[in-house]
Amino acid sequence: MNPLVKRIVTALTTAALVVCALIYLPVQVVLPAIMILALLVQLEFSQIVARKYEIMPVIGAISSIGFFVSVFYCKCIELPYSLVAIIFFIALAALFGKSSKPIESMGTTILSFVYIPFMLTFFMLIPVTFGMKWLLYIIAIVKISDMGGFAFGKAFGKHKMCPTISPKKSWEGLAGSVFASSLISCLFIPMTGFVWYKALLFGVAAALVGTLGDLVESRFKREADIKDSATFMPAGLGGFLDMFDSLIFAPALFFPFL
């Protein structure tokens, strides 16, 4: 099978499985699944960082588990207080643990926590607060934006957008991302109840935020001199972080507008 076709088929199959899970599984099952995925993504990120810097992956994972439990299962603990407690815990581990570079360990471990589990917390807050359909909507417009950008970039990409960070990204690809996400956002109008211009606005925002998330991960990988966060996904799709990179910022930024 052609590598491009194989990649598209793999991406669509993965998307179909995610959609079915969001539609048919109860929130009580979806939330723990997202927590586990967040931990796996954080672990991949920690491995990327560890190629150049000192980091505490076990402390980061413990922090994430404690954070998720405190926010979603201990209703008396508010999110800001949980965040402060986790950062304090990481600081203590860096200062009094076995780290030879406590400042570096503290900084990288806090980054791994804030960049992945904390941001993905909104992935869970959206279905709990607004309903599962809104999570499905955000995933759809961001990931279809990815596909539109990939297709347009392959077909028409000539003008490089950020050659030093992601050489394959082009302005034509970004235009394809905006077109695809705006189109899908408008198709969701019967579900969202948005007026057309608000649907377009969300579509454009999804493309821009998704592209930013992709570029941030690309910059991290470039610093670590690697191509993919992992290699277990077929068709060159990389690992969990490569799949989630465009979705990391979107739920948190869309949350207040919903």
Side-chain angles (χ1 to χ4, degrees):
M1 185 184 292
N2 182 287
L4 177 59
V5 175
K6 188 176 181 181
R7 181 168 182 169
I8 292 172
V9 169
T10 303
L12 290 175
T13 303
T14 304
L17 291 172
V18 171
V19 168
C20 289
L22 293 176
I23 292 175
Y24 296 109
L25 293 179
V27 175
Q28 293 81 359
V29 175
V30 172
L31 290 187
I34 295 175
M35 291 178 191
I36 293 170
L37 279 173
L39 288 172
L40 292 173
V41 175
Q42 184 186 23
L43 177 61
E44 284 187 1
F45 180 73
S46 296
Q47 290 176 334
I48 291 174
V49 173
R51 295 174 67 92
K52 289 288 184 75
Y53 305 104
E54 192 169 287
I55 190 171
M56 303 179 291
V58 175
I59 296 298
I62 293 171
S63 301
S64 301
I65 294 169
F67 181 73
F68 289 142
V69 170
S70 69
V71 171
F72 292 98
Y73 298 104
C74 302
K75 303 300 181 182
C76 58
I77 303 176
E78 297 293 335
L79 189 146
Y81 299 109
S82 299
L83 181 59
V84 170
I86 292 304
I87 292 177
F88 184 67
F89 169 70
I90 292 173
L92 287 177
L95 293 174
F96 298 104
K98 297 179 180 179
S99 173
S100 61
K101 300 177 180 178
I103 295 177
E104 188 174 292
S105 295
M106 178 180 170
T108 54
T109 307
I110 289 176
L111 173 63
S112 78
F113 167 73
V114 174
Y115 175 49
I116 309 291
F118 177 73
M119 296 303 292
L120 290 182
T121 299
F122 293 90
F123 228 94
M124 294 170 268
L125 286 174
I126 284 175
V128 169
T129 309
F130 303 110
M132 195 68 78
K133 68 177 185 179
W134 289 102
L135 183 59
L136 176 61
Y137 167 68
I138 291 173
I139 291 174
I141 59 176
V142 173
K143 296 313 286 183
I144 294 297
S145 164
D146 279 355
M147 294 181 189
F150 179 74
F152 270 62
K154 276 284 184 182
F156 311 110
K158 292 182 180 179
H159 301 88
K160 302 298 182 183
M161 187 167 61
C162 298
T164 58
I165 298 176
S166 185
K168 293 183 179 179
K169 284 205 175 296
S170 64
W171 290 107
E172 292 83 0
L174 179 62
S177 294
V178 171
F179 172 76
S181 58
S182 299
L183 177 62
I184 294 299
S185 185
C186 287
L187 292 177
F188 269 86
I189 284 177
M191 186 203 82
T192 60
F194 290 158
V195 291
W196 66 270
Y197 59 83
K198 190 172 184 180
L200 284 177
L201 222 85
F202 267 64
V204 172
L208 297 178
V209 172
T211 301
L212 174 64
D214 195 2
L215 288 173
V216 168
E217 194 223 356
S218 294
R219 183 64 185 85
F220 287 145
K221 290 190 296 184
R222 184 165 288 276
E223 185 168 350
D225 296 322
I226 58 171
K227 182 180 181 295
D228 297 310
S229 63
T231 56
F232 60 84
M233 288 294 290
L237 289 175
F240 288 115
L241 181 55
D242 294 315
M243 292 178 62
F244 270 86
D245 57 2
S246 58
L247 280 165
I248 287 174
F249 299 117
L253 292 175
F254 285 160
F255 187 84
F257 296 102
L258 293 180

